[in-house]
C-alpha cells in the first residue's frame, strides 16, 4: 500500500463525510462550542468528521517499455481494507487502455499489461479503480484515479535532423577557428539514466578539423590551409548516447566544408616581355591590343588595375581593365605616324585593388611587364593644312570671283599629288566650284547676303594614285554686305488721327528698317517728297535719332467728311552709296477720347464671333419655352381674376394733388384717388402715356401749355360728377350693400399765373460747360462737341 499525498486525501475526506451524513451516521452534539473534529453549521447544529482509512489510495504504477516476454507484464495490485479474502469484493478498472492494454483480476485486484508499450509514443496512462460488493453491487470504496507510467529504456539512437550540413571558413585561418556547431537529438528520456546523454566525436576530417565532444562545435585543427591547394573538405561527426559508454547507440552526419578565398596571392604576368603590331591608320580611342596578369585568387581579390608607368607610352596609349576577363585593354590616345616614329615601348604594371594587410609579409601585390609596339606603315589619305576653313566674299560679286583656297598634302613619304572635289550632295555646289589641282574656290553666280548670309560646303581631297582614299574638310563662306537695299518705314499698325487734333500736335513717331547690315543702315533720315506740293494737313519732323514724328497742321478733322489720308515719306540710309525709299502711310481719322492717351476708333473693334455650343442652344431654347409657359399662365390668370370691389389707396391711377405750401415741393403733397368713382372702362380710354414729354412749342416757336385729358376731365363740375356716379352705384346690383363716402378738395378750374413747373418753360440761353457730357459715355461725346462748336460759332 502506498502512502497517499495531501492533494488526493482532501477530496476523499469530503466524499466520505457526505456519504456518512446521508446514511444517518452523523452524531449531533448539542453544544455551542464544537469539538476538534466538529463543524458548526448555520442552523446551530454541529457536524462530526470521521477520519477515513487510507488503504484505498494510489499515486502511480510503473511498467517497463518494450517488454517482449511471453507472459503479460505485472504492473501492480489494487486492494481494499473491506476485502476479507472471501471473494465478496469485485475490482473494476476503467480509463486509458483499460481492457485492451491493462487488465485486472476482479478477485485479487492484480493488474497486468498485455502489450508492449513505447514510451516515446505515450509516456503514461490515467486509469480509475473501483471496489464493489459482489452481492449487492454497492461501492465499498470511492472511485480512485491513478497513473501507470511507462519506464524508459535506451531504445533510440541519436539523430541529426538538419543534416547534412554545408559550412565555409576562410583559408589561412588560425587553429581553433569555429566552423559550425551541430546538434543531435535523442528520443529517450533525458531525466532517467544516461539514455539521452550524447557525446560527439569526429570520424572523418582529421587532421584538418576537430569537434568539441560536449557542444558539437567544429573547429579548424590545422594552420594555413590554402584554398589554392585544396578547396573542399568532408567532415563526418558521430553522436553517441550513454555518455559514450559501451553499449550506447550512435548516429552520424556529414559536413561539407569549403575554404573561402582571401587575397594571399599577388598578380603575375606569364612573361616579362611582349610585342604588338599597330598600323598607323589605327583610330584614336579604339583598342589596339590586350595584356593579362594571372591571379590565383577569386572575386574582388583577383581584381587588377593596369597602368602604363613610363611617360613615352602613357602619352600615346592608355590601358583599362576588362571586368569580366581581367585583361588590360590597350587603346590609342593620339594618331600614329609611321614617318615620325616607328616604335614605342610601354612599361605596364598590374596591381591588386583590394590588398589584405594580414599578408603584407608576402611582398608587394603587383607585377610589371614590358610591351614593345611596332607602328606599321599604311597608305594614308591626304591631310588638309587646317581642320576647317572660313572664307568670305562680297555679295553681288560677279560669277567666277575667287573666294579662297584650301591645301592638302599626302602624309606618306612618297608625296603623291592631290586632287580636290566638292561634295555633290550639298546645296553649296550651286554657288561654288573648286579647281581640282590648286584647290581655289570660286563663285558660280552672284550671291545675296539678305537671302543666304552663310554657305557651308565640304571639300574632299584624294591622292591621284589612290582615289579611294579621301579626306574631308568643312569650308564656311561668309557673304559680306553691300548697301543694295533701300530703307523702308517700319509700321505694323494703322496710324490713327484724332478728330480733335490741334495744329502742331504729334500724331505718331515712325522708324525705318533696312535689310542691309547695320554697318550700312544704322542711320536714317526722313523728309516729305520735294516734288509734291505742300501738304495742308500734315508735316514731318526728323528727330535725328533714326526716327521721325508726324505733326498735324490743321485744327480739326472729321471722319464723316474724310476718314483716310495718305502721307508719302522719303527715308535715306547712311550707307555708301546712300539709298533712299519712299513709303506711303495711310492715316485714319477717328473720334478719340478727350483726355485718354489710348486712341480708340469707334466701330473699329469687330464684333466678336458668338459661337454657341449645342448645350448652350438647348439651354436657350429651354428658357424660351419656360418664358412662354409663364406668359400663357399669366394671361390665363389675368382673365380669370375678378376685379376687386374696392381699389386700394396705393393703386395709382389718377390723383387730385393738393399742395399745403410752396416750400416743400413734392414732399408736401396729399393725393386723393377719385378714379374709384368712375367707370374703369371709361378711365382706361382716357389714359395716356406720361413718359412722353408734351411739345412745349407751337409752330411759331411760342411756348404754350398743353393740357392732358385727365386735367380736362377734372375741370368738369365735380358735384354733378359725384351725383352721376352715386346714381350708377345705386342702380348697380353687383356691388356690395354698403356705401362709400369720399371727400375731394377742389380748388377750381385754373390759375391766371399758369404753371409753376419748369418742365414746359423755355429756358433762356445761358453759359454752361458741356464737358461733363463726355463722362456719360461715347454716346454723348458728339453732343458735347456740337455744343462746343455752337459756342465757338457764337463767340466768333
Amino acid at each position: 500500500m502506498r502512502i497517499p499525498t495531501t492533494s488526493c486525501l482532501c477530496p476523499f475526506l469530503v466524499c466520505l463525510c457526505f456519504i456518512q451524513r446521508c446514511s444517518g451516521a452523523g452524531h449531533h452534539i448539542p453544544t455551542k462550542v464544537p469539538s476538534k473534529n466538529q463543524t458548526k453549521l448555520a442552523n446551530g447544529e454541529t457536524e462530526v468528521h470521521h477520519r477515513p482509512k487510507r488503504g484505498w489510495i494510489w499515486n502511480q504504477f510503473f511498467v517497463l517499455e518494450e517488454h517482449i516476454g511471453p507472459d503479460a507484464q505485472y504492473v501492480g495490485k489494487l486492494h481494499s481494507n473491506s476485502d476479507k479474502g472471501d471473494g465478496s469484493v469485485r475490482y473494476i478498472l476503467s480509463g486509458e487502455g483499460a481492457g485492451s492494454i491493462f487488465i485486472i483480476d476482479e478477485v485479487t485486484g492484480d493488474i497486468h499489461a498485455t502489450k508492449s508499450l513505447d514510451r516515446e509514443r505515450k509516456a503514461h496512462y490515467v486509469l480509475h479503480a473501483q471496489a464493489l460488493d459482489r452481492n449487492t453491487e454497492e461501492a465499498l470504496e470511492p472511485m480512485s484515479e491513478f497513473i501507470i507510467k511507462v519506464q524508459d529504456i535506451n531504445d533510440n539512437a541519436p539523430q541529426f535532423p538538419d543534416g547534412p550540413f554545408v559550412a565555409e571558413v576562410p583559408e589561412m585561418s588560425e587553429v581553433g577557428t569555429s566552423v559550425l556547431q551541430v546538434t543531435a537529438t535523442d528520443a529517450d528520456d533525458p531525466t532517467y539514466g544516461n539514455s539521452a546523454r550524447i557525446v560527439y566525436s569526429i570520424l572523418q576530417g582529421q587532421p584538418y578539423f576537430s569537434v568539441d565532444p560536449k557542444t558539437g562545435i567544429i573547429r579548424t585543427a590545422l594552420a594555413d590551409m590554402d584554398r589554392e591547394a585544396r578547396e573542399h573538405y568532408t567532415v563526418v561527426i558521430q553522436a553517441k548516447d550513454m555518455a559514450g559508454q559501451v553499449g550506447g547507440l550512435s548516429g552520424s552526419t556529414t559536413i561539407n566544408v569549403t575554404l573561402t578565398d582571401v587575397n594571399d596571392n599577388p598578380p603575375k604576368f606569364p612573361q616579362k616581355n611582349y610585342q604588338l603590331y599597330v598600323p598607323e591608320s589605327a583610330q584614336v580611342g579604339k583598342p589596339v591590343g590586350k595584356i593579362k596578369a594571372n591571379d590565383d585568387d577569386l572575386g574582388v581579390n583577383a581584381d587588377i588595375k593596369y597602368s602604363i608607368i613610363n611617360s613615352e607610352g602613357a602619352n600615346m596609349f592608355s590601358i583599362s581593365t576588362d571586368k569580366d576577363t581581367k585583361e588590360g585593354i590597350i587603346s590609342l590616345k593620339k594618331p600614329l605616324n609611321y614617318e615620325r616614329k616607328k616604335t614605342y615601348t610601354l612599361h605596364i604594371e598590374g596591381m591588386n585593388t583590394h590588398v589584405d594587410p594580414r599578408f603584407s609579409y608576402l611582398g608587394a601585390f603587383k607585377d610589371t611587364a614590358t610591351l614593345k609596339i611596332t607602328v606599321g606603315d599604311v597608305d594614308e589619305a591626304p591631310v588638309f593644312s587646317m581642320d576647317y576653313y572660313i572664307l568670305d566674299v562680297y555679295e553681288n560679286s560677279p560669277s567666277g570671283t575667287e573666294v579662297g583656297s584650301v591645301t592638302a598634302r599626302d602624309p606618306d613619304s612618297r608625296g603623291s599629288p592631290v586632287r580636290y572635289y566638292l561634295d555633290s550632295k550639298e546645296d553649296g555646289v550651286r554657288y561654288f566650284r573648286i579647281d581640282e589641282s590648286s584647290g581655289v574656290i570660286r563663285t558660280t553666280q552672284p550671291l545675296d547676303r539678305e537671302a543666304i548670309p552663310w554657305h557651308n560646303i565640304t571639300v574632299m581631297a584624294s591622292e591621284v594614285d589612290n582615289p579611294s582614299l579621301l579626306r574631308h574638310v568643312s569650308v564656311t563662306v561668309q557673304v559680306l554686305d553691300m548697301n543694295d537695299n533701300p530703307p523702308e518705314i517700319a509700321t505694323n499698325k494703322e496710324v490713327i488721327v484724332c478728330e480733335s487734333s490741334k495744329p502742331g500736335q504729334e500724331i505718331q513717331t515712325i522708324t525705318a528698317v533696312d535689310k542691309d547690315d547695320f554697318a550700312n543702315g544704322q542711320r536714317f533720315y526722313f523728309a516729305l517728297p520735294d516734288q509734291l506740293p505742300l501738304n495742308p494737313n500734315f508735316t514731318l519732323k526728323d528727330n535725328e535719332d533714326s526716327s521721325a514724328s508726324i505733326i498735324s497742321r490743321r485744327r480739326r478733322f472729321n471722319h464723316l467728311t474724310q476718314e483716310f489720308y495718305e502721307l508719302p515719306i522719303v527715308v535715306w540710309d547712311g550707307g555708301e552709296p546712300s539709298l533712299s525709299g519712299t513709303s506711303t502711310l495711310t492715316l485714319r481719322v477717328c473720334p478719340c477720347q478727350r483726355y485718354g492717351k489710348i486712341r480708340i476708333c469707334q466701330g473699329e473693334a469687330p464684333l466678336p464671333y458668338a459661337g454657341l455650343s449645342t448645350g448652350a442652344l438647348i439651354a436657350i431654347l429651354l428658357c424660351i419655352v419656360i418664358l412662354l409657359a409663364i406668359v400663357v399662365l399669366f394671361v390665363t390668370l389675368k382673365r380669370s381674376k375678378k376685379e376687386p370691389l374696392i381699389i386700394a389707396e396705393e393703386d395709382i391711377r389718377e390723383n387730385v394733388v393738393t399742395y399745403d405750401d410752396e416750400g416743400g415741393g413734392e414732399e408736401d403733397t396729399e393725393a386723393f384717388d377719385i378714379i374709384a368713382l368712375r367707370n374703369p372702362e371709361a378711365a382706361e380710354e382716357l389714359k395716356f402715356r406720361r413718359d412722353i414729354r408734351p411739345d412745349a412749342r407751337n409752330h411759331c416757336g411760342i411756348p404754350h401749355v398743353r393740357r392732358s385729358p385727365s386735367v380736362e376731365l377734372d375741370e368738369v363740375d365735380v358735384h354733378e360728377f359725384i351725383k352721376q356716379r352715386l346714381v350708377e352705384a345705386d342702380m348697380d346690383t353687383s356691388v356690395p350693400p354698403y356705401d362709400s363716402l369720399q371727400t375731394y378738395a377742389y380748388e377750381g378750374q385754373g390759375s391766371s399765373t399758369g404753371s409753376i413747373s419748369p418742365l414746359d418753360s423755355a429756358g433762356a440761353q445761358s453759359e454752361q460747360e458741356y464737358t461733363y457730357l463726355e463722362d456719360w459715355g461715347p454716346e454723348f461725346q458728339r453732343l458735347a462737341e456740337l455744343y462746343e462748336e455752337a459756342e465757338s460759332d457764337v463767340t466768333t
Side-chain angles (χ1 to χ4, degrees):
M1 182 182 300
R2 300 182 182 272
I3 301 174
T5 61
T6 307
S7 61
C8 297
L9 179 60
C10 294
F12 285 105
L13 289 176
V14 174
C15 293
L16 291 176
C17 293
F18 179 78
I19 294 172
Q20 290 177 0
R21 181 176 181 183
C22 292
S23 60
H27 299 277
H28 301 281
I29 303 176
T31 177
K32 295 182 180 180
V33 181
S35 63
K36 187 175 183 179
N37 292 332
Q38 294 177 353
T39 300
K40 185 175 182 180
L41 302 178
N43 54 6
E45 298 180 356
T46 58
E47 181 180 1
V48 180
H49 301 283
H50 297 276
R51 185 181 302 276
K53 297 180 180 180
R54 299 192 180 187
W56 182 247
I57 304 300
W58 299 268
N59 283 335
Q60 63 184 7
F61 295 101
F62 291 92
V63 59
L64 192 64
E65 71 168 333
E66 302 295 345
H67 177 69
I68 57 176
D71 299 331
Q73 184 179 184
Y74 179 74
V75 178
K77 183 181 183 65
L78 296 179
H79 182 72
S80 174
N81 292 337
S82 301
D83 189 359
K84 305 302 183 181
D86 54 359
S88 60
V89 178
R90 183 165 68 93
Y91 297 96
I92 299 175
L93 187 65
S94 61
E96 296 179 343
S100 57
I101 300 176
F102 303 101
I103 60 174
I104 187 171
D105 190 327
E106 295 184 354
V107 178
T108 63
D110 294 330
I111 303 174
H112 291 80
T114 60
K115 295 181 180 180
S116 177
L117 303 179
D118 187 1
R119 188 201 67 84
E120 286 70 35
R121 297 180 61 182
K122 189 171 181 61
H124 64 276
Y125 297 85
V126 179
L127 294 96
H128 300 85
Q130 192 173 9
L132 303 177
D133 190 314
R134 185 178 297 274
N135 297 324
T136 62
E137 292 296 328
E138 293 181 359
L140 300 178
E141 299 289 351
M143 182 178 292
S144 177
E145 179 183 286
F146 63 94
I147 297 174
I148 297 179
K149 187 174 181 180
V150 181
Q151 192 171 1
D152 181 57
I153 64 173
N154 189 18
D155 58 343
N156 291 277
Q159 295 180 355
F160 293 91
D162 299 330
F165 300 91
V166 177
E168 293 180 350
V169 63
E171 64 173 332
M172 309 298 291
S173 297
E174 298 179 356
V175 176
T177 302
S178 176
V179 179
L180 181 68
Q181 182 179 11
V182 294
T183 302
T185 59
D186 196 321
D188 292 327
D189 190 359
T191 62
Y192 180 75
N194 294 328
S195 298
R197 186 178 177 185
I198 299 173
V199 175
Y200 300 95
S201 61
I202 185 168
L203 300 180
Q204 181 181 339
Q206 295 176 336
Y208 307 102
F209 302 95
S210 64
V211 65
D212 190 297
K214 294 183 180 180
T215 61
I217 299 177
I218 302 171
R219 304 178 185 273
T220 57
L222 187 64
D224 299 334
M225 288 190 293
D226 191 2
R227 184 199 66 81
E228 289 74 27
R230 182 178 177 182
E231 185 176 3
H232 301 286
Y233 296 85
T234 301
V235 180
V236 179
I237 302 296
Q238 182 189 63
K240 189 174 183 180
D241 59 10
M242 297 297 293
Q245 299 177 4
V246 179
L249 303 179
S250 64
S252 62
T253 187
T254 301
I255 301 97
N256 296 316
V257 182
T258 301
L259 297 182
T260 57
D261 183 65
V262 296
N263 191 10
D264 58 342
N265 294 281
K268 293 290 182 182
F269 286 100
Q271 58 191 57
K272 290 297 182 180
N273 297 293
Y274 296 88
Q275 291 186 353
L276 182 64
Y277 173 82
V278 180
E280 64 174 339
S281 60
Q283 297 182 10
V284 176
K286 298 295 183 180
V288 296
K290 300 178 182 179
I291 191 172
K292 184 178 182 180
N294 297 327
D295 195 324
D296 295 333
D297 296 323
L298 299 175
V300 295
N301 297 321
D303 289 345
I304 301 174
K305 180 182 179 181
Y306 297 93
S307 59
I308 301 175
I309 58 178
N310 65 320
S311 59
E312 177 186 355
N315 291 333
M316 291 297 297
F317 299 91
S318 63
I319 189 169
S320 60
T321 304
D322 190 321
K323 295 182 179 180
D324 298 329
T325 62
K326 310 295 183 183
E327 294 176 330
I329 308 300
I330 303 171
S331 302
L332 188 62
K333 293 176 63 177
K334 298 179 180 180
L336 298 176
N337 193 332
Y338 174 81
E339 288 72 26
R340 293 184 180 179
K341 189 173 181 60
K342 297 178 175 60
T343 60
Y344 294 90
T345 300
L346 280 66
H347 297 294
I348 301 176
E349 179 184 75
M351 180 177 61
N352 283 141
T353 57
H354 299 81
V355 180
D356 195 335
R358 295 179 301 171
F359 307 105
S360 58
Y361 65 91
L362 297 177
F365 282 75
K366 60 183 179 179
D367 194 16
T368 59
T370 301
L371 175 62
K372 184 178 181 181
I373 296 179
T374 302
V375 181
D377 187 17
V378 178
D379 190 6
E380 300 176 84
V383 178
F384 286 95
S385 60
M386 300 177 65
D387 295 334
Y388 59 91
Y389 294 85
I390 299 178
L391 308 177
D392 55 59
V393 62
Y394 278 98
E395 65 174 333
N396 302 324
S397 298
S399 176
T401 302
E402 181 179 345
V403 179
S405 63
V406 297
T407 304
R409 65 176 181 84
D410 183 11
D412 298 325
S413 57
R414 55 185 179 177
S416 298
V418 178
R419 289 184 178 179
Y420 302 93
Y421 309 91
L422 291 180
D423 191 352
S424 60
K425 298 179 180 179
E426 295 182 344
D427 187 61
V429 179
R430 298 186 304 166
Y431 304 98
F432 305 95
R433 58 184 173 85
I434 189 170
D435 188 275
E436 293 185 357
S437 302
S438 62
V440 176
I441 301 174
R442 300 179 183 273
T443 61
T444 61
Q445 57 180 308
L447 304 179
D448 187 5
R449 187 200 69 86
E450 286 72 34
I452 305 177
W454 295 87
H455 293 269
N456 296 317
I457 59 177
T458 301
V459 178
M460 300 179 293
S462 66
E463 297 180 8
V464 176
D465 299 336
N466 190 359
S468 61
L469 295 177
L470 295 175
R471 185 79 67 182
H472 299 76
V473 69
S474 297
V475 179
T476 301
V477 179
Q478 180 184 8
V479 182
L480 302 179
D481 182 56
M482 295 186 68
N483 191 19
D484 58 344
N485 292 277
E488 298 176 353
I489 299 297
T491 176
N492 296 326
K493 58 182 180 179
E494 191 176 22
V495 179
I496 303 298
V497 179
C498 289
E499 289 184 339
S500 59
S501 297
K502 299 178 181 180
Q505 181 177 347
E506 181 180 342
I507 302 301
Q508 185 169 327
T509 301
I510 59 174
T511 58
V513 294
D514 196 332
K515 296 181 180 179
D516 294 323
D517 194 6
F518 286 163
N520 294 326
Q522 61 180 353
R523 183 71 175 90
F524 300 103
Y525 305 92
F526 303 86
L528 296 179
D530 296 335
Q531 65 274 16
L532 296 179
L534 181 65
N535 194 320
N537 300 312
F538 306 97
T539 186
L540 191 68
K541 176 186 177 183
D542 193 335
N543 298 324
E544 298 182 356
D545 59 354
S546 297
S547 68
S549 299
I550 301 175
I551 306 298
S552 174
R553 300 190 63 180
R554 57 180 293 181
R555 178 177 180 82
R556 286 184 176 275
F557 295 88
N558 193 332
H559 75 283
L560 299 178
T561 304
Q562 183 175 352
E563 185 177 3
F564 295 97
Y565 293 87
E566 291 185 353
L567 180 65
I569 299 175
V570 182
V571 56
W572 291 269
D573 60 18
E576 292 293 337
S578 179
L579 298 179
S580 64
T582 302
S583 300
T584 301
L585 296 182
T586 300
L587 289 72
R588 183 180 181 184
V589 178
C590 293
C592 302
Q593 292 182 356
R594 182 166 183 173
Y595 301 105
K597 296 182 179 180
I598 301 177
R599 300 182 176 121
I600 299 177
C601 190
Q602 294 180 350
E604 182 180 354
L607 292 176
Y609 174 72
L612 297 178
S613 61
T614 304
L617 291 175
I618 295 176
I620 293 174
L621 293 176
L622 183 60
C623 293
I624 293 174
V625 172
I626 294 175
L627 290 176
L628 291 177
I630 293 175
V631 170
V632 173
L633 181 61
F634 177 78
V635 172
T636 304
L637 294 176
K638 185 176 182 181
R639 290 181 178 179
S640 61
K641 183 177 180 182
K642 294 182 178 180
E643 189 70 15
L645 299 178
I646 299 177
I647 301 177
E649 293 183 1
E650 291 80 9
D651 186 11
I652 300 174
R653 297 187 180 179
E654 187 170 0
N655 297 336
V656 175
V657 181
T658 61
Y659 293 83
D660 293 339
D661 58 4
E662 296 181 358
E666 294 180 356
E667 295 179 358
D668 298 329
T669 63
E670 293 183 358
F672 299 91
D673 188 11
I674 65 173
I675 199 66
L677 299 177
R678 302 173 183 175
N679 187 358
E681 296 181 356
E684 291 292 336
E685 296 176 355
L686 296 177
K687 287 186 177 178
F688 292 91
R689 293 185 57 183
R690 298 184 179 181
D691 56 345
I692 300 178
R693 180 178 178 180
D695 190 8
R697 298 176 182 265
N698 57 11
H699 62 279
C700 295
I702 301 175
H704 69 280
V705 178
R706 182 178 180 181
R707 299 179 180 179
S708 62
S710 60
V711 176
E712 295 177 357
L713 183 62
D714 291 338
E715 293 179 358
V716 182
D717 190 354
V718 178
H719 298 283
E720 295 297 331
F721 179 77
I722 294 176
K723 290 180 180 181
Q724 182 180 355
R725 290 293 180 265
L726 182 58
V727 173
E728 292 177 357
D730 293 338
M731 299 300 294
D732 191 358
T733 59
S734 61
V735 298
Y738 56 80
D739 295 333
S740 175
L741 177 61
Q742 299 186 19
T743 61
Y744 300 93
Y746 180 69
E747 183 178 359
Q749 295 185 354
S751 175
S752 60
T753 60
S755 175
I756 63 174
S757 173
L759 295 179
D760 297 331
S761 63
Q765 184 176 355
S766 62
E767 296 182 357
Q768 186 175 357
E769 291 291 338
Y770 300 97
T771 57
Y772 66 90
L773 294 177
E774 296 182 358
D775 298 335
W776 294 2
E779 295 81 358
F780 296 91
Q781 182 177 1
R782 182 57 182 170
L783 182 61
E785 294 177 356
L786 292 176
Y787 277 116
E788 290 179 355
E789 291 178 0
E791 290 180 0
S792 178
D793 295 340
V794 172
T795 304
T796 303

